[in-house]
Amino acid sequence: MNRRHWIYRVSGLLASMALPVAPAAAAADKFPLSKPRQEWKKLLPPDAYKVLFEEATEPSGSSPLNNEKRAGTFICAACNQPLFASAHKYESGTGWPSFWQPLAGAVGTSTDFKLIYPRTEYHCSRCGGHQGHVFNDGPQPTGKRYCNNGVALKFVVEGAAMPALLT
């Protein structure tokens, strides 16, 4: 067996271990707001749907929210749950909106093996929409970098009414 063949076999094995055991519809049932994927697809713009429910990643530098500096709250683009306070946003230099801390109870995490090695993926705790990945290279006091897809967020400026939570 040559080296290339061995690498392909190991990569295939690792990728197969990352496949979900339960169907996507069943996985969505574990969140307080559960909708079939087809319903989310009708409710969201295509790029937002792909990030939130197919776990895609938007291109670095493509989100206007990366440059958002006003006081306010970043909310889930799918269900409108508040996720991050603007006071916790910082410039990470990655090209994606980055935060050092989410709001209490706003996100959940899971392990993602899409790049072969494990990463910590985080999602909205209410609808399960994929937001991004969390890394241990952020600023103090947490040392965390919640690297978010801008298309998975909406921004509500301080003083404006929050939109109703989607039901």
Side-chain angles (χ1 to χ4, degrees), residues 49-57 110 112 114 121 128 130:
Y49 173 80
K50 286 177 186 165
V51 167
L52 287 158
F53 296 102
E54 293 181 352
E55 299 178 1
T57 301
S110 60
D112 166 350
K114 288 186 185 74
E121 180 260 342
H130 171 76

Side-chain angles (χ1 to χ4, degrees), residues 8-9 42 52 81 95 102 113 116-117 136 145:
Y8 281 94
R9 287 183 60 110
K42 290 177 190 173
L52 287 158
Q81 172 170 263
F113 288 95
I116 306 299
Y117 62 91
N136 293 318
R145 172 172 51 98

Side-chain angles (χ1 to χ4, degrees), residues 19-82:
L19 294 175
V21 175
D29 292 340
K30 68 182 179 180
F31 298 103
L33 178 60
S34 178
K35 291 186 178 296
R37 299 295 171 165
Q38 289 298 18
E39 191 171 336
W40 284 119
K41 201 170 199 173
K42 290 177 190 173
L43 292 170
L44 297 166
D47 56 346
Y49 173 80
K50 286 177 186 165
V51 167
L52 287 158
F53 296 102
E54 293 181 352
E55 299 178 1
T57 301
E58 70 184 357
S60 175
S62 66
S63 174
L65 292 180
N66 196 42
N67 297 318
E68 182 58 65
K69 308 287 188 231
R70 296 175 291 174
T73 305
F74 292 86
I75 66 174
C76 176
C79 73
N80 296 335
Q81 172 170 263

